Amino acid sequence: MFDSFTLRALPPEDEALREPLRALIAERVAAQPIDRRARSWMGFDADLSRALGAAGYLGLTLPKRYGGQERGAYARFVVSEELLSVGAPVAAHWIADRQSAQLILHFGTEAQRQDYLPRICRGEIYFCIGMSEPGSGSDLASVRTRAEPVEGGGWRLNGQKIWTTFAHHDDYMIALVRTSGISADRHQGLSQLIIDLKTPGVTVRPIVDLTGDAHFTEVFFEDVHLPPDALIGEEGAGWAQVTAELAFERSGPERIYSSIVLLDAWIAHIRAHRPDDEASLALAGRLTAELAVLRAMSLAVTARLAEGESPVIEASLVKDIGTGFEQSIPALIADDLGRHPDQPVAPELVRALAFATQIAPSYSLRGGTREILRGIIARGLGLR
């Protein structure tokens, strides 16, 4: 396992992407208040996504014939890191750019590539992922949403998805559904379908969380008719496809940077008010060291992706440990601030801390629960 995490450095040509991107971010994002930027990749701003697309920061790894930049996975790592570090609201294009485009590129038909990929690269269309279901959670193999072939071609879809990110704002869902067999068949008979969320029979209901935001949704399908070309890849091959797709979802720096705006704001607070506080400095050092290790692990996984591999186990490990790191930050910062009850704290920092404290429990829900990830890791190590 440890041989999979070889230290890698970012190529100079990809590091060069940072400066021009920082100029764009400074113009559109950096001046926003901390508590707004603390939403990070859960902030939805279609204007920003279109601006990033126009500047060539989307579709970095896609072929130029589909509107991409033909860069490597390292380039996308740099761009992701820059956006997340400042808390840019990138949710509009995030899933489409990160994994839907890759899925369509590798498993889609040529017509699907030509239709969807250029629009993803321009930041014009947005995707969500329909995986979790009521009663199934992250146990994807037990999905019950079913698509049945209909006479004359196409599919009739019935069922429900839940914990679907931003379906109420997105244009399309790529859903894992059962096209044959029963839930007990587990990995057999599963397929992926592209669903236009404006299709009659599709109902999307936002789920309001503790913060008052609604980035999760539940989606209902009632006799939804889908055309034949809704199928992506091979019928019945959905499990293998979605497993490869999840490596893109679980390995990225968003799995370690969700609380980074709060961490930066707190370190600025320490620097301004009590630069000699040994306990606070020790905590800042500890969190910085943990972040550095997680970043190196995420970069090692990116290297495997750049080499055309599918590091499912390694990506699951980064996601599991990274989620724990992200979730620990709000409570640790709250404890530190609580040790100095008479010290003034900027209202923006207080609001950012309150938001992160409320949203942090969901970090281990999205992209696969901790229990599911540890099952994947255990199987990869031959322990179960």
Side-chain angles (χ1 to χ4, degrees), residues 346-366:
E348 283 187 10
L349 176 54
V350 174
R351 290 196 296 269
L353 176 60
F355 172 80
T357 301
Q358 290 173 318
I359 200 68
S362 73
Y363 294 169
S364 54
L365 172 63
R366 57 198 188 191

Side-chain angles (χ1 to χ4, degrees), residues 61-102:
T61 62
L62 298 179
K64 289 185 177 179
R65 65 181 181 278
Y66 301 125
Q69 302 295 320
E70 289 191 359
R71 304 286 296 253
Y74 290 119
R76 189 174 184 284
F77 186 96
V78 168
V79 170
S80 298
E81 191 169 56
E82 286 297 321
L83 293 169
L84 297 174
S85 293
V86 74
V90 294
H93 69 267
W94 201 250
I95 291 173
D97 183 62
R98 180 181 63 189
Q99 60 197 93
S100 302
Q102 293 297 326

Side-chain angles (χ1 to χ4, degrees), residues 133 140-149 155 157 161 175-193 231-232 234-242:
E133 297 187 3
L140 300 181
S142 66
V143 300
R144 290 174 293 180
T145 295
R146 176 176 290 273
E148 297 178 333
W155 308 86
L157 179 66
K161 296 292 181 181
L176 181 68
V177 304
R178 184 160 295 283
T179 50
S180 65
I182 59 176
S183 297
D185 294 333
R186 304 294 291 171
H187 301 166
Q188 307 300 318
L190 297 172
S191 304
Q192 288 183 289
L193 298 175
L231 177 69
I232 182 167
E234 297 181 26
E235 182 184 353
W239 182 257
Q241 293 175 192
V242 82

Side-chain angles (χ1 to χ4, degrees), residues 10-306:
L10 288 163
E13 62 270 24
D14 296 319
E15 287 280 10
L17 288 167
R18 293 190 191 276
E19 288 307 318
L21 178 56
R22 285 176 182 175
L24 188 154
I25 292 172
E27 178 184 344
R28 292 175 171 269
V29 180
Q32 294 181 7
I34 295 169
D35 51 317
R36 185 172 175 184
R37 290 190 286 116
R39 281 157 172 79
S40 188
W41 61 282
M42 291 181 291
F44 195 101
D45 185 339
D47 288 341
L48 175 65
S49 294
R50 285 191 289 269
L52 291 169
Y57 291 113
L58 304 186
L60 283 165
T61 62
L62 298 179
K64 289 185 177 179
R65 65 181 181 278
Y66 301 125
Q69 302 295 320
E70 289 191 359
R71 304 286 296 253
Y74 290 119
R76 189 174 184 284
F77 186 96
V78 168
V79 170
S80 298
E81 191 169 56
E82 286 297 321
L83 293 169
L84 297 174
S85 293
V86 74
V90 294
H93 69 267
W94 201 250
I95 291 173
D97 183 62
R98 180 181 63 189
Q99 60 197 93
S100 302
Q102 293 297 326
L103 184 76
I104 293 170
L105 177 67
H106 289 99
F107 299 107
T109 64
E110 183 58 24
Q112 288 171 334
R113 296 183 190 118
Q114 293 187 12
D115 182 14
Y116 297 111
L117 297 184
R119 292 189 288 161
I120 290 175
C121 292
R122 294 194 296 268
E124 294 178 351
I125 58 173
Y126 313 122
F127 280 70
C128 58
I129 302 167
M131 291 188 182
S132 296
E133 297 187 3
S136 298
S138 291
D139 183 13
L140 300 181
S142 66
V143 300
R144 290 174 293 180
T145 295
R146 176 176 290 273
E148 297 178 333
V150 297
E151 188 175 347
W155 308 86
R156 180 181 295 109
L157 179 66
N158 283 283
Q160 179 186 355
K161 296 292 181 181
I162 196 168
W163 309 124
T164 308
T165 303
F166 283 122
H168 52 314
H169 292 314
D170 291 332
D171 303 287
Y172 301 95
M173 171 191 287
I174 295 181
L176 181 68
V177 304
R178 184 160 295 283
T179 50
S180 65
I182 59 176
S183 297
D185 294 333
R186 304 294 291 171
H187 301 166
Q188 307 300 318
L190 297 172
S191 304
Q192 288 183 289
L193 298 175
I194 302 177
I195 302 165
D196 185 335
L197 293 174
K198 297 182 182 62
T199 306
V202 178
T203 301
V204 180
R205 295 178 183 169
I207 300 173
V208 179
D209 61 32
L210 284 174
T211 70
D213 291 348
H215 64 278
F216 283 135
T217 64
E218 52 184 347
V219 185
F220 301 86
F221 308 107
E222 184 174 359
D223 288 332
V224 178
H225 180 260
L226 300 174
D229 63 0
L231 177 69
I232 182 167
E234 297 181 26
E235 182 184 353
W239 182 257
Q241 293 175 192
V242 82
T243 300
E245 177 186 353
L246 284 172
F248 291 98
E249 179 175 0
R250 291 172 175 165
S251 63
E254 65 266 42
R255 301 307 181 189
I256 57 179
Y257 282 179
S258 295
S259 299
I260 197 68
V261 171
L262 172 63
L263 179 59
D264 274 349
W266 171 71
I267 289 176
H269 172 84
I270 297 300
R271 186 182 295 120
H273 294 282
R274 39 190 164 93
D276 298 325
D277 186 315
E278 292 187 2
S280 298
L281 292 176
L283 176 59
R286 169 190 151 189
L287 292 174
T288 304
E290 290 180 12
L291 176 62
V293 172
L294 283 165
R295 181 181 183 273
M297 293 175 69
S298 181
L299 193 53
V301 174
T302 299
R304 301 282 301 277
L305 292 172

Side-chain angles (χ1 to χ4, degrees), residues 1-9 74 296-297 299-301 303-304 307:
M1 170 62 78
F2 293 111
D3 292 341
S4 302
F5 288 99
T6 304
L7 285 174
R8 301 296 183 101
Y74 290 119
M297 293 175 69
L299 193 53
V301 174
R304 301 282 301 277
E307 292 162 1

